[in-house]
Amino acid sequence: MGREISVIAGPSSVDLATKVASCLDADLLSVDFRIFKDGETKINMSKPFGKNCVLIQSTYPPTDRHLLQALMMLKKCSDSSADIVAVVPYMAYSRQDRQFLEGEVVSMAIVARLFECVGTRRLITVDIHSPASLSYFSIDARNLSATGLLAKYAITNLKTSRPVVVSPDKGGAKRAMEFARILKADMFTLSKRRDMQTTEVFVEKQKLNFDIAGRDVIIIDDMISTGESIVKASEFLIEANPNNIYAMCTHAVMIEDAPKKIEAAGVKEIISTNSIPSATAKVDLSSVISREVASIIEQAAI
Ligand code: R5P
């Protein structure tokens, strides 16, 4: 594209950064870092980076460590007066986007401020949990969708028969609708409730819009964390005798034994993007990220 770009691979996103650098035909810079015995990170960014920098660091668990590393690296870049685009494929704390219970801190608002405090002016994330989360940024913060890539993967690889797309809750209905539109599939939404004190998930019993017996079901969500939402959805759906059940998501946070629990609940396969590296990360985000980065850099140069 004629402009020198350095892609800086944050410690949490080396693989994705390598792919983005390759798409952009950019230099790939690694970051030297050390984790001390007390858990603190020391970052060293002595390698020279160009004027246009893209820093990629996803903030999956250990969340606070990855978040602080992102902030440290961004501060270093902005101090060097590089034009930096921060790419945070999985934005931690985006589910804490409002006060659910009296006295709760709206963590997302603070995280957004922290990115701004270290000099970030442009930020890209992917399938952030809610529009409310994005609204806390007063910088150029863009939210990309992985729905098209996930749908393309499903069409090419799952070979489903008369698939039915399911959103585990109303909040994810729009995403599931778009996914179903691309697959030309039927779609419906479950009614999920989470106990805000215990975090336990309940799926309300409901009459299904149509018969799913013998049909493949794809449950699609923005993220799988404890796996409870997918487990409860699958347990409910299985009573209607579907063929295979698949779980697809953008961010496979996968706390502890989430994959095992999901499998035990009848899900044949879990598929996620590489916003978080894992065994389920079969959908590569580098094409959508590099396209957006290239457009930001081009616009900035005008
Ligand atoms: C919630 O509204 C989200 O869209 C996900 O459904 C939820 O965060 C998944 O979390 P878990 O796997 O812990 O149920």
Side-chain angles (χ1 to χ4, degrees):
M1 65 190 295
R3 287 180 207 296
E4 274 183 30
I5 305 176
S6 305
V7 173
I8 304 173
S12 70
S13 296
V14 174
D15 184 58
L16 180 57
T18 307
K19 291 190 166 81
V20 170
S22 157
C23 288
L24 289 169
D25 196 16
D27 292 337
L28 176 70
L29 297 183
S30 59
V31 171
D32 294 327
F33 71 101
R34 249 177 97 177
I35 310 283
F36 291 102
K37 289 199 170 130
D38 58 4
E40 290 180 358
T41 302
K42 178 108 177 158
I43 301 257
N44 185 316
M45 297 175 74
S46 55
K47 292 173 200 131
F49 35 84
K51 179 95 180 92
N52 295 297
C53 282
V54 182
L55 175 95
I56 309 188
Q57 170 87 346
S58 208
T59 53
Y60 58 87
T63 304
D64 293 345
R65 170 178 295 171
H66 286 154
L67 177 60
L68 200 58
Q69 288 173 345
L71 298 169
M72 289 170 170
M73 293 182 288
L74 285 164
K75 179 75 174 84
K76 190 75 184 161
C77 293
S78 61
D79 283 352
S80 78
S81 69
D83 276 339
I84 178 94
V85 179
V87 180
V88 186
Y90 170 64
M91 180 63 74
Y93 289 101
S94 65
R95 287 180 296 175
Q96 296 183 35
D97 58 358
R98 71 199 81 163
Q99 185 176 281
F100 295 96
L101 298 174
E102 176 78 21
E104 282 179 351
V105 171
V106 182
S107 312
M108 190 58 230
I110 295 164
V111 169
R113 283 296 303 279
L114 288 172
F115 276 104
E116 296 177 17
C117 280
V118 294
T120 314
R121 285 171 43 233
R122 300 184 202 98
L123 182 141
I124 295 173
T125 188
V126 183
D127 286 334
I128 196 165
H129 180 64
S130 67
S133 307
L134 201 64
S135 71
Y136 292 113
F137 290 92
S138 50
I139 55 171
D140 176 359
R142 304 178 183 198
N143 182 40
L144 307 182
S145 166
T147 306
L149 292 175
L150 288 164
K152 199 167 153 205
Y153 181 94
I155 292 167
T156 315
N157 298 280
L158 299 187
K159 311 269 188 263
T160 49
S161 95
R162 295 173 62 228
V164 180
V165 175
V166 174
S167 171
D169 52 41
K170 293 197 172 66
K174 224 172 126 193
R175 173 183 312 107
M177 227 178 275
E178 171 62 4
F179 184 86
R181 188 190 62 75
I182 302 171
L183 264 74
K184 300 187 177 55
D186 289 326
M187 174 267 167
F188 63 88
T189 300
L190 296 178
S191 185
K192 180 180 97 178
R193 184 171 61 79
R194 193 186 287 272
D195 184 315
M196 296 314 288
Q197 300 281 359
T198 64
T199 73
E200 200 180 342
V201 169
F202 301 90
V203 168
E204 314 286 351
K205 295 275 176 221
Q206 69 186 76
K207 192 173 165 336
L208 300 185
N209 303 24
F210 33 79
D211 188 9
I212 62 166
R215 298 178 68 178
D216 289 323
V217 173
I218 304 174
I219 309 171
I220 179 137
D221 211 348
D222 59 339
M223 69 169 85
I224 302 177
S225 183
T226 63
E228 272 299 293
S229 301
I230 298 291
V231 166
K232 292 291 163 62
S234 180
E235 285 173 351
F236 172 71
L237 293 166
I238 228 158
E239 288 175 23
N241 295 312
N243 186 33
N244 293 316
I245 300 181
Y246 299 93
M248 298 190 82
C249 68
T250 307
H251 312 294
V253 182
M254 297 295 181
I255 303 300
E256 294 166 356
D257 58 350
K260 268 196 185 152
K261 288 194 302 191
I262 292 170
E263 199 189 327
V267 172
K268 183 177 181 200
E269 191 181 343
I270 306 168
I271 297 127
S272 65
T273 76
N274 56 353
S275 71
I276 300 176
S278 79
T280 62
K282 296 162 193 167
V283 176
D284 177 23
L285 292 173
S286 58
S287 58
V288 285
I289 291 175
S290 3
R291 207 176 309 134
E292 195 65 24
V293 165
S295 121
I296 288 178
I297 293 175
E298 281 301 307
Q299 276 165 18
I302 293 168

